[in-house]
Each structure stands twice: as structure tokens, then as C-alpha cells.
Amino acid sequence: MDQMRQVFSVDVLERYAAKGRGVITCMSAGNDVIVLGTSKGWLIRHDFGAGDSSDIDLSVGRPGEQSIHRVFVDPGGSHCIATIIGSGGSETFYTHVRWSKPRVLSKLKGLVVNTVAWNRQQITEASTKEIILGTDNGQLHEMAVDEKEKREKYIKFLFELKELPEAIMGLQMETASLTNGTRYYVMAVTPTRLYSFTGFGSLDTVFASYLDRAVHFMELPGEIPNSELHFFIKQRRAVHFAWLSGAGIYHGGLNFGAQHSSPNGDENFVENKALLYYSKLSDGSEAVKPSSMAVSEFHFLMLIGNKVKVVNRISEQIIEELHFDQTSESISSGIIGLCSDATAGVFYAYDQNSIFQVSVNDEGRDMWKVYLDMKEYVAALANCRDPLQRDQVYLVQAESAFSSKDFLRAASFYAKINYILSFEEITLKFITVSEQDALRTFLLHKLDNLAKDDKCQITMISTWATELYLDKINRLLLEDDTAMENRNSEYQSIMKEFRAFLSDCKDVLDEATTMKLLESYGRVEELVYFASLKEQYEIVVHHYIQQGEAKKALEVLQKSSVPIDLQYKFAPDLIMLDAYETVESWMTTNNLNPRKLIPAMMRYSSEPHAKNETHEVIKYLEFCAHRLHNEDPGVHNLLLSLYAKQEDDSSLLRFLQYKFGKGRENGPEIFYDPKYALRLCLKEKRMRACVHIYSMMSMHEEAVALALQVDPELAMAEADKVEDDEDLRKKLWLMVAKHVVEQEKGTKRENIRKAIAFLKETDSLLKIEDILPFFPDFALIDDFKEAICSSLEDYNKQIELLKQEMNDATHGADNIRNDISALAQRYAVIDRDEECGSCRRKILIVGGDYRTRGYTTVGLIPPFYVFPCGHAFHSQCLIAHVTRCTDETQAEYILDLQKQLTLLGNEARKDSNGVISEDSLTIMTPSDKLRSQLDDAVASECPFCGDLMIHEVSLPFVSPEEAYQVSSWEIKPHNLGNQRSFSLPV
């Protein structure tokens, strides 16, 4: 592989990492922290994140040579466990990143700890929680350390391998929090076996359960320098495992959610197990077993000699070999081992003095090819990074299916290709082999994969697919004549699919082109279906009408999206096709204008109908008039005309008498045309209806005349309707009386008796003398004696009544004259100190000129007015007050009367020269009339107690004429510009 494309690369991280404390014997890493164990018993810690290092001597106080056997660091880099072996035996220590001194785990004295399983899900910097230690004698111990307590919380024995006591070389643990508690998954390896443990509760209960049941294990015998167990961790969860065994690398996936039963009854959480033989790693020569390994997401890193072979876990092929730049003194000892830092995502290798870092550079970039070569297409697609890679996967799948003649499957894969093959190349493949169904499938899948912006391409492909559907339908009909009747046939299936296709593509298919295609293939029902989808309702309704399916047509017209004009357009055809359903539909349709339906209703009404058949148009018009309160004269006139043509005129009369405008103010009570109704009823000889119309038009004489031809009782009823015109009412009754007298065919005496009985029905409106002219001249007076005497008695009573009224009137006139005389003598007593209500001066003042225009003073006392309420006013003051307080018109009228009185007074003085004759006192002169008018104008009521005072309450305090006084009180700034401001000293 090209060096530029290498996935793994090796760099020297630290040349002299042991710091002269002996040589490196073991190593562990976590979270960018590396801890080394040396041959002299030292732990050397390198924290690359913080950029510092430290060391601890574990051999203090121990005699002889001491060497670190194993060192273990948790994934967070805070906790460390190390085992030291020397002449004094073995001891295990625990140390924390913040501790300066390690602590001996005394309960583990004499035991060699080979491996530690950390609880990755629960471990924190302050506490390890529960962890498991595997020892050289096949035992498992549980331990927990809390950093604050400076010692272990507990160490307890868990389990021991008794069937085949072997050293536990590798140990891993995973936990899962479920609704019913915590579940533990533990895997342990020895040189020849891989053990699996699982259970709920605590680690105690999990391992105690294996006292009563067999332990699940996988045995792979064979020699191996170092048996190792590794988990690949992704997002703090183990994804797959690998066991470096004597037979090969045993690996598989880990699924902690789904549990599968193993043959021995235990629960197994391992999936897709496989064994990679070491023979695949050698080129024909004897296989060399790795001394150490590490696991990445897709690869195994195996240390063989002084190089690392990188093997793809999926393809089991060697992709790279990594070589180390060792110092001369380290070459002889070689690379000791590999370790991984799952948290940081890097790998390390170490020899006696140096540490090497193995970096990963996008190891999954070519995995799609690996899966593709193995024909694992789903995994290949999942690992593709760009559309071109996906196209290559689809192409391989498509060509594989095409070569095996699975054309429909091939079409689905070809449709997903966007770049490496053109649309034309793919379609030609199917056209060449005449696979129309596969071509249609390809087009449909292509439509699903196209973006919405490719409108032109979508429309063309949809149209092509439509034609292929139609061609398929025709071929099926030619192959099987019974296909249309068989519900389970391929024809029915393809028809259902085609309709669904039209529904899905209605917005992208060209309307005209698609309809022309459907029409050319004779698919009328599909044409109607597509027209309905495109809201071409006119085509749909027209088709249903041609098929005689009025109900379906009406259902279409009732849709809210259908234009209301189509209702009017198809109304004539629909009402002739099914009048009942059509009218029912009209009555349930909102915003329908009945006037526009009149042509359809007239067409229906012109057809003959059975006697007992419900006239649907009348039913609809009655609905409009009574339920919808329609006021259109055309609707009412049509209903009237249909009523007039019925044999029974009861409906017509009810219609004419119904007040349609009741409840409305200043509106008409009827909406039909009375003149048209009269002409129509006369034509149809509906005389009772004509009488009603005449009466409604206030043509009472015509109404009575026509009623007399039909029924005298009707004529009497019409005559009685006139109440506000006595003369007209009498005239109408005379018409009825004349008809009654002239129509009687009995004997003379019997006719007279009937005529006299008729007079009683008129409620005394007609007298015997009114109807006498209607009898022949030779009728005997004796027959009318009783009626005449009765009439004379009535007249006598009226005369007596008039006499009484005249006497009452004469008596009333005498009383009025007496009252006038008494009023002429009425007087009022005025106190000598009484003041004028206006000027506050005394009424009976003597001296001064207080003459008023139009009035004559009596001696030295000026004229004045006294009111019954007690208020008194000088004439001049009263006139001035009333003139000032009343409106302008009344004031001018008062002043004009004064002026006329003054002029007449001067002339009278000139004429009489101051002499007053006796005649002048008894005769009402013009001046007296004017003075009376003036009195009425100014003294009809007291100005303080009457309406004038009440009216003054609403007048403003300041009249409009006094506005200048208001403005004079307004405060205005003056010469602000010339003012100066002075600052006062504080």
C-alpha cells in the first residue's frame, strides 16, 4: 500500500523512559497516562496530558532484586495496581495519582496478579468501585478502593478454577444497568480457555451462582507466549473482543442487550464468532505466533518479532507491517509488548528502554471496499464516505442481479446510482433485453431518488412510467380475457398500483399529455380518476352523467373545491336524470343561487308528470321560499306559476296568503309580481286566487265583482275587508246586495224576506231605502212594511239623539259666556311694597316716565303684569326680559307688535284728541287685538315659573356674543425675548 495511504504509523515517544531505574518490564496506559514497571521495582508515570512525570519505588524495605511483574492503569489514568516479584515473594500495591506513597494490599500477599478488569461504566477519579483481579493460581478476587479512605474498602475472594487450574492471563468486565438491576458480563482467559460469566445483582451473587452450574468456556489448546484478552471500546462500551490464543485469534462481536442460550444452558453474549489462524499471516513458511496484540475498530495489531503486522479483522488480510526504530542496545532484546489506551484511541509498544506510539489515521476509510469484496453489501454501504463509493456498491449489486436475470432487483439498485452510470445507459440495458416491467420498476425507483428541484426530469420520467403502465395493462388484457372479473388477478393488482401512481404523481405529470395518453389507450375510468385528481371536475361530472350515475356526479359537485358554476351548468341534465337526488343535493349545498337554477327547473317542469308524483321543483322552491327565506321575485313567480297549473288551488291560495316579509320593517310582504300573478291566474281560471290578488292590490270593486261570479260569501268577505273607507265599504255591500236581489229566483215575498235578512248581515250599514231601487217597480209596499217601520224607528232615535246633543251644546255655550264675564271681573291685590321681578323696583311707583310702547299709563302708575303665582313685572321689564331670553324669531315678533301698537296709539290720539268715547270702550279696536297678541306673546306664562326658566338651564354661562370677554381673560406671554435671567449668588 502507498505510504501516503498508510492507516497506522509508528513514532518514537520516549527513548529513555526507564530513567536509569532498570529496564522496562511491563507497561499500561489510560487517558494519555503511561505507567511503566522496571526490573528494579520502580513505577514510572508519564502524564502526557499534564506534561509531567513521576516515579515510585516499590522495592523499599524488600531484600534482594525486585522486579515489577505487571502494572495496570484504569481508563481514566487515576488508579494504578502493580505486582512486584522478588526473593521475598510477591506483593501487590495500589497507588493513586494524588498519593505520594503506594499501599500494600496485604490480603493478596503471595499471590501473583496477572490481570485486572476495570468497571469502566462506574469508575471515577475518587473511587474504583468494584474491580476484579485475576491471579496466577486461577483465582478471581474483588476489590474496591476509595481514594479518600487511603486504603482499600475490601478485598474478597470470588471464584477459583478447579477443573483445570491455570493462570488467568486476561480479564475484562462490562456492566449494563437494566430495569431490574445491574447485570455483569465477565470474560477471562487462561493459556487454553476463554471463560464467560454473567448474572444479576452483585459480583458475589454472580460468581456464587456458578457453584451450582457449569461455567461456560471455549477451549483452544496450543502453546502461546502470552495469552491475552482485549475488548475494543467505543463510546465507553465494549463492541467486540479478541483472544490471542494458541490456535489463533478468536474474536467476535459483543451484544449485551440480546441474550442467546448456549448449548450448556448458560447465556452467551458473543455473536459472529470467528478464528483467525496464524497460518494466514505467513507466506508458506512455518507460522510464528504473536507475542502480544492490540485491537482497533477494524484491525488486529500483532507483535511478531520486532515488527507489528496489521491484519484487517473482516478480510483477515495483512494490510501493513510496522517497523520500530530501536536503539542498538535494545535491538537484541526486541519489542517486549503492545498496550492500548482506549480513552485516547492510541496504541503503544515498548522495549527495554523506549516507548513507541502507534497512531491510527482513519482506519475505516477503505472498509467499504473490504465489505464489498466479501459481498457484504449492507456493511459496505454503511461504511461508504461519499456518493461515488455508494454508487460502486450499488453497481456491483445491480450487475450481479442483472447477470442472474433478476431484472426487477437489478432495477432497484440501478435506480440508486447517480454518478458512475447515466440514466440513458441504464434504460438501454433493460430496453435491449425487452424487460418492460424492470424498466418501469427502475423509473419508479428513480423517481423516489430524484430531488424535488429536478422538475423537468421528474415530469418526463413520470410520463414514461405512465405509458409503461398502460402498455402493461393492455398486455394483461390481451393475455387473459377474464382478468377484469378476477379480483385476485395481476391485472387488478397493476390497476391498483397504477391508480396509486397517478395519485402520487398528479402534481408532476403534465395534465394535457397524461389525459391524451389515457384517452389514446381507452382508459376512460382512469382518465376520470386522473381528472378528479387534477380537479378537472367538469370532465368527471360529464362522464358520470353520460353513464347515468347522477348520484356520483352530485357527490363530485358537492366537494368544497368544485366551482359553484358547475352546479348551474349541469343542473338541467342532472334534474332530468334524477330529479329527487338532484333536488336533495341542492337543498344541502350552501351558497347556491336558486335564480341560476331556474332554466333547469323550467325544463323539468315542462315535462309531463304523474298526478301523485312529488313535484321536485315545487319542493325545492318551497324550501327556498320558506326555509332559506329567498326574496328573489323570479323564484316566487316560478313557484306561483307551478301552483297555478295544479288542479287543486289550495296550495296556490296558501301561497298567495302567506306573508313572506313578515318581521321586516318597512319592507314588502310578498316578493312575487302581483300583476304577473293576476294574468297567470286569469289565464288558468283560478278565480279565487284572482279575487285575493285584486284585494291585495286594493282593487276592491274588481275583487267583489269577480267574487260575486264565484261565491257570494266570498264577495261578502271581500266587502268586509274595507274598514277605513265607509263610503267604499257601503258601495261594495250595495254591489253584493244588488247581486243577491237580482239572483234570487223564488217568489216575490220570499225574495223580499231574503233581502231583508241580508240587510241584517250588513251590520246596519245598509238601510231598506238603499236596496229598494234594486226591486222592480211593481213590488207591493206591504212586503216592506216591517223593514220600513224599523228604519223609521232608527231615524226617530237618531233625531232624538241629535236634539239632546244640541241642548247640551247650548247649555255649554251659556256656561262659557258666564265664565268670560266672571274673568272680566277678576282682580289681584298688589302690596304697596311689591317689587318688579326684573328691575327690583316697586310696582306701584309714582313719578318718572315709565311709559311703554303700546300701553297707556293710568295716572302716575306705570303699566304692569301680575301672574297667579304671585310674581309681578313692569310691562317694560317683562317685555325686555322675554325678548332677551327667547329665540330670535319670537323676539322679532314681540318687537314688531310693539311697533304696530305704538303707531296705532299715536293715530288714535290724533283722532280723538284725547277724548274717549263710549263706543271705543265696547268695540274691539285693532290696537286691542294687537295688545291681546302681545299679552299672549309675553305674558302667557310667568317667566320665572314656566318653560322659559326651564329652557334657561341649558344655556351657557358665557354666551357666544360674550366670547371677547373670555379672550380678554386669557394669560399670554409678553416680550419673552426681551427678558433676561439673572443668577443669584448662593
Side-chain angles (χ1 to χ4, degrees), residues 450-462 508:
L450 285 174
K452 292 182 179 180
D453 297 336
D454 301 329
K455 294 182 180 179
C456 183
Q457 193 171 1
I458 290 173
T459 299
M460 289 192 298
I461 294 175
S462 301
V508 296

Side-chain angles (χ1 to χ4, degrees), residues 608-644:
H609 301 282
K611 288 184 179 180
N612 297 327
E613 180 185 353
T614 303
H615 201 295
E616 298 298 332
V617 168
I618 292 179
K619 182 174 75 173
Y620 178 66
L621 292 173
E622 288 175 343
F623 173 79
C624 293
H626 296 287
R627 296 287 296 278
L628 300 181
H629 306 293
N630 187 279
E631 301 178 1
D632 193 334
V635 173
H636 287 255
N637 288 340
L638 178 58
L639 180 57
L640 180 70
S641 69
L642 295 177
Y643 280 144

